[in-house]
Amino acid sequence: MSDYGENAVLGLVRNAATFWLALFTEMPGENSEGREVSGGGYARQRVSFGEASGGEMSNSEALEFPTASEDWGTAAGWALFDAESGGRLWWYGEVDVPKPLHAGDIYRVNVGCLRLVMD
């Protein structure tokens, strides 16, 4: 697919739903298996994406998860859902550097660091 086509598809995805970022300690897959972080103050975070360019788009605002009130495990993967709880899985991937999340930690995603890439 051309970059133009990829950008068009990503634009359709971006406008299709409100997306929520979930963290996983065991990688999600095509059918949403895996183990999402739960408890200890965890909550999915709403994601906004910028315009697609070059066959990719990324988060347009920084994301910050609540302070963990207990150990969450090691963040190894992420997924986008169309609901704050439950919902349908749209996209998933691995965390670049798995991070252990302990009580008192805050997980942040800087602008442009959550990238959806078509190629």
Side-chain angles (χ1 to χ4, degrees), residues 62-79:
L63 303 168
E64 186 173 290
F65 284 81
T67 303
S69 62
E70 62 186 47
D71 289 353
W72 286 354
T74 298
W78 58 268

Side-chain angles (χ1 to χ4, degrees), residues 80-110:
L80 292 176
F81 288 89
D82 59 7
E84 191 172 6
S85 175
R88 294 172 296 227
L89 172 68
W90 282 68
W91 209 293
Y92 63 93
E94 294 180 7
V95 171
D96 287 338
V97 178
K99 176 170 177 30
L101 298 168
H102 303 290
D105 287 349
I106 299 173
Y107 192 87
R108 294 180 178 90
V109 180
N110 293 326

Side-chain angles (χ1 to χ4, degrees), residues 10 17 22 28-29 42-43 47 54 67 90 93 113:
L10 287 168
Y42 171 80
V47 181
T67 303
W90 282 68
C113 289

